Amino acid sequence: MPTDIIMPQMGESIVEGTITKWLKKPGDKVQRDEPLFEISTDKVDAEIPAPASGVLQEIKVTEGTTVGVNTIVGTIAVDGEAATAKPAAAKPAPQTPPESSAGVPPAVVGASRPRTEPAEAQPQPQPPAAQEDAEEARSSPLVRKIAREHGVSLSQITGTGLGGRITKQDIMQFIESQGSAQPASTPAPAPAQPAATAPAPRPAAPAPYPGDLVPMSNMRKLIAKHMIESRRTSAHVHCMYEVDFTRIVNLRSKLKTGFEQRHGARLTFMPFFVRAAVMALQQWPIINAAIDGDNIRYHRQINVGIAVALDWGLIVPVLKNAGDLNFLGLQRGITDLGERARTKKLKPEDVEGSTFTVTNPGQFGAVFGLPIINQPNSAIMGVGGITKMPLVITDRDGNDSIAIRSVVHLTLGYDHRLIDGAVADQFMAQVKKNLETWTEEVG
């Protein structure tokens, strides 16, 4: 009997999910626990592993379709049934165009055209100039250079970036897979099979052009909803502090190589900011509190949300019990959350329960940001870019001089219903002091 593939329940409050991408097509071999398809829920986007080894026999729910939990979305034929799995996979293919033309909207950002378009667009590759323009729109100069060096046509690669753009990781994975899969792709029957399943998710969605009407992804809808709700809920006020970050820049430069050799983890700046904020939150617990009706709830733990920018949106995984972690624990936790966010390995509990949030617009070059509070938190700290600039330095004798220093601008967005300006400024002054006079062991 084939093994059913079901829509999992990703948390107690999750009642449905949207299939955003099938990572395999009917007839492909799959291994148990190998990523099989991607889903989007109210909490997270995640890759769902295969429940068994065998051959993907049938896809019952197409990309862009939202179904309830425990719905059967496909089947896997066990190894003994592999011979009949491929012919069975060819049957759903003719049915795909009617389903696509029925108006099932793809959930991935940039998928603005119905799935029948790849079949209609087959004559399009004939003009070389048009094909080159399309490939240029879906890739960066670096990706195109790698493609030329390895003799790879970008039309063969499915992009996983925003709007179907081909990332460096996409092309490197394709080149590696071509090296290992070359012999397997030579048999003559192989071309006939993709032809039968061509309307499946193989063609990448083209990048949107000006004038296109592109449906929002589930994640983008949730971001829009949460940001508007936060603005309507909290009385937003911001303050900004300039921090002399030279001591930590020099410390990291000195220790980063040995740190990575000893602990197998890169030494980044983020744990310094998180640790400085945690120490200040322990002194000013009102910043870590939340409004609960007409009451103030003081949280027992400090759970720090770390905003992670993704190609397809933004997510805020939570570093639980950050006040109980040493510096190495903070670095490992931040790295783990970031990697799992980018590879869609987060679970619903990984994005729940934050009491304070840190976001880092400076990684893209911003001098500072004025972030919106992540509800139900009462405050969010924004980290600006680290730049060198002249500062007036006063020595112990009161003499002034000008020196080139590494400077970072930190902002605090806070809910004025709960936090007074004086308290917010004292909190940020403590964060500034913690960073400028850093003495804690890094590890």
Side-chain angles (χ1 to χ4, degrees), residues 259 262-265 319 327-337:
F259 185 92
R262 288 192 303 274
H263 305 298
L319 189 62
F327 185 90
L328 178 59
L330 290 174
Q331 178 67 86
R332 285 176 169 168
I334 292 167
T335 301
D336 172 65
L337 289 174

Side-chain angles (χ1 to χ4, degrees), residues 176 193 230 279 284 384:
E176 292 174 3
Q193 206 158 358
S230 181
M279 294 167 63
W284 302 96

Side-chain angles (χ1 to χ4, degrees), residues 45-356:
D45 287 2
E47 289 182 345
I48 305 303
S53 298
V55 172
L56 180 57
Q57 186 179 49
E58 182 182 9
I59 292 177
K60 294 179 178 290
V61 178
T62 57
E63 293 179 357
T65 304
T66 301
V67 294
V69 299
N70 299 322
T71 299
I72 298 175
V73 299
T75 57
I76 294 177
V78 297
D79 292 338
E81 299 169 320
T84 59
K86 291 188 177 182
K91 292 180 181 179
Q95 298 173 3
T96 305
E99 290 177 4
S100 299
S101 62
V104 178
V108 180
V109 171
S112 61
R113 297 161 176 82
R115 198 171 305 177
T116 53
E117 184 178 293
E120 299 170 1
Q122 285 178 351
Q124 191 173 0
Q126 291 177 359
Q131 184 175 3
E132 291 175 5
D133 290 344
E135 291 180 354
E136 186 170 344
R138 295 175 51 239
S139 60
S140 66
L142 174 61
V143 169
R144 294 194 292 276
K145 178 182 177 183
I146 296 173
R148 287 193 300 270
E149 291 174 350
H150 291 81
V152 174
S153 172
L154 295 180
S155 61
Q156 299 174 275
I157 303 175
T158 300
T160 61
L162 181 63
R165 285 181 63 84
I166 299 171
T167 65
K168 179 183 176 182
Q169 184 179 7
D170 292 335
I171 191 169
M172 296 308 296
Q173 288 180 347
F174 179 83
I175 292 170
E176 292 174 3
S177 65
Q178 285 293 97
S180 60
Q182 196 96 14
S185 60
T186 52
Q193 206 158 358
T197 57
R202 190 60 183 168
Y209 288 94
D212 283 358
L213 182 64
V214 181
M216 283 187 176
S217 66
N218 280 7
M219 177 177 283
R220 178 53 54 194
K221 292 176 184 176
L222 290 172
I223 291 173
K225 177 183 176 182
H226 291 166
M227 294 301 96
I228 292 298
E229 285 182 351
S230 181
R231 279 293 191 186
R232 290 173 176 168
T233 300
S234 297
H236 280 69
V237 181
H238 291 85
C239 60
M240 181 176 68
Y241 276 68
E242 186 175 86
V243 178
D244 185 345
F245 206 54
T246 308
R247 178 190 293 264
I248 289 177
V249 169
N250 293 340
L251 180 65
R252 176 181 176 270
S253 180
K254 177 183 177 181
L255 299 179
K256 63 180 181 180
T257 301
F259 185 92
E260 185 169 358
Q261 291 174 347
R262 288 192 303 274
H263 305 298
R266 290 178 58 245
L267 178 59
T268 66
F269 287 119
M270 183 55 72
F272 290 97
F273 295 115
V274 173
R275 180 59 182 157
V278 166
M279 294 167 63
L281 288 170
Q282 291 169 337
Q283 294 181 250
W284 302 96
I286 189 67
I287 309 293
N288 195 52
I291 293 178
D292 187 351
D294 292 330
N295 305 305
I296 300 174
R297 182 177 297 279
Y298 286 85
H299 297 292
R300 292 188 178 92
Q301 300 293 340
I302 298 174
N303 298 332
V304 181
I306 309 290
V308 178
L310 308 171
D311 285 342
W312 58 94
L314 176 75
I315 197 166
V316 187
V318 182
L319 189 62
K320 303 290 178 64
N321 302 327
D324 299 334
L325 300 176
N326 60 14
F327 185 90
L328 178 59
L330 290 174
Q331 178 67 86
R332 285 176 169 168
I334 292 167
T335 301
D336 172 65
L337 289 174
E339 290 177 352
R340 288 196 289 128
R342 295 183 183 94
T343 56
K344 301 184 178 181
K345 297 293 191 298
L346 291 175
K347 299 178 180 178
E349 55 266 29
D350 293 325
V351 296
E352 296 176 337
S354 69
T355 60
F356 181 80

